[in-house]
Amino acid sequence: MNLVLLGPPGSGKGTQGERLAAHSGVPKYATGDILRDAVRRGTQLGDDAKRYMDAGELVPDEVVLGLVREALSTPDAAEGFILDGFPRTVAQAEGLQRLLEERGIGLDAVVYFDVPDEELIRRLAGRRSCPNCGAVFNIHSDPPSVTGTCDNCESELVTREDDREETVKNRLRVYKEHTEPLLRWYGESSVLREVEAVGSLEEVYGKLLGVVGDS
Ligand code: AP5
């Protein structure tokens, strides 16, 4: 299974991708997670990426393409992969296509998570993340057992820097301008699948399995 999860911020790509990776054993690579990890570790990549991420802007294409090239070169990715949050521009999609062609493989499905803007804003305002293990919760739909505390490692949960209201508005604008055109780009091939990603986490997962099963 070679899969891309595509959709606006807060549409549930990370949440559902985690489930799918855990159940299928196929590794998931999320460019946002890789970049946030670099920021946390204070690497050169993290320092360079932080200003774009804090502003809700996209990190330059060549930087993320380099990260994905590296991820897909690992032995873990040889039997399949789930890409979450990449590609996000037509240039990234073209770069991915070249990368896959070099390996003689293609995408089985590009799954588009469709969620109305008001719901995205509600989800992002309610998201709480664990800075230690990366687990993601939501005060409305998926609260931790103890308020403010990670179920997995008991660290204090935080609100992501880029989940502030003004930054969320910019992320949605950037999504519509740079990422939404990918729907037409992938729509020209037969790999694009659409999931109406509203409802409970279980319901959305069922819909995801439904479309991935077709690929
Ligand atoms: P990234 O981390 O990729 O952020 P994103 O795409 O904006 O996506 P999110 O993580 O916000 O949302 P999600 O769809 O994963 O939703 P989630 O499952 O968490 O990117 C961050 C930044 O990094 C970018 O702005 C950019 O600067 C940079 N970057 C990353 N990739 C890049 C690239 N390729 N090119 C350039 N720059 C890049 O769910 C959200 C919340 O909703 C959670 O709290 C969850 O619990 C809840 N939830 C999930 N499903 C449901 C449901 N069905 N009902 C109710 N609540 C739900």
Side-chain angles (χ1 to χ4, degrees):
M1 174 165 62
N2 299 336
L3 204 63
V4 163
L5 306 183
L6 179 71
S11 56
K13 307 178 296 293
T15 304
Q16 299 297 342
E18 278 300 319
R19 285 188 176 210
L20 187 59
H23 291 172
S24 64
V26 174
K28 175 173 87 86
Y29 302 101
T31 41
D33 289 346
I34 297 171
L35 290 167
R36 272 185 295 280
D37 183 56
V39 171
R40 240 185 331 264
R41 289 188 290 115
T43 63
Q44 186 62 52
L45 166 68
D47 288 350
D48 293 344
K50 190 174 184 322
R51 66 193 167 98
Y52 296 100
M53 299 173 78
D54 285 352
E57 296 290 335
L58 294 179
V59 172
D61 289 333
E62 59 278 13
V63 174
V64 277
L65 267 164
L67 295 176
V68 171
R69 174 179 286 279
E70 203 177 306
L72 296 188
S73 303
T74 58
D76 284 356
E79 301 299 321
F81 54 81
I82 301 167
L83 291 173
D84 161 10
F86 176 94
R88 253 165 143 107
T89 63
V90 170
Q92 290 180 19
E94 289 168 347
L96 176 62
Q97 192 170 338
R98 281 193 297 275
L99 238 161
L100 298 179
E101 277 168 9
E102 282 168 21
R103 290 165 168 73
I105 55 176
L107 291 173
D108 297 308
V110 173
V111 183
Y112 165 54
F113 285 61
D114 187 18
V115 178
D117 281 5
E118 318 79 72
E119 173 67 5
L120 296 173
I121 291 166
R122 198 179 87 94
R123 287 185 190 179
L124 293 174
R127 175 162 57 187
R128 299 292 180 271
S129 310
C130 178
N132 182 44
C133 72
V136 174
F137 302 87
N138 195 285
I139 57 171
H140 307 296
S141 54
D142 187 20
S145 310
V146 177
T147 305
T149 303
C150 178
D151 284 355
N152 300 339
C153 66
E154 298 186 354
S155 300
E156 191 178 340
L157 298 176
V158 297
T159 300
R160 249 168 65 173
E161 277 292 319
D162 60 350
D163 280 348
R164 292 169 203 279
E165 197 180 334
E166 277 313 303
T167 315
V168 164
K169 279 189 196 151
N170 196 41
R171 287 164 66 199
L172 289 173
R173 185 193 62 73
V174 166
Y175 170 79
K176 286 182 201 311
E177 186 180 339
H178 296 283
T179 310
E180 221 166 51
L182 286 178
L183 294 177
R184 185 178 300 172
W185 201 82
Y186 280 121
E188 285 166 9
S189 65
S190 57
V191 290
L192 188 64
R193 311 269 185 279
E194 185 169 330
V195 165
E196 194 198 4
V198 287
S200 70
L201 300 185
E202 287 68 31
E203 282 166 349
V204 176
Y205 188 59
K207 294 181 200 178
L208 172 61
L209 288 184
V211 299
V212 170
D214 289 345
S215 57

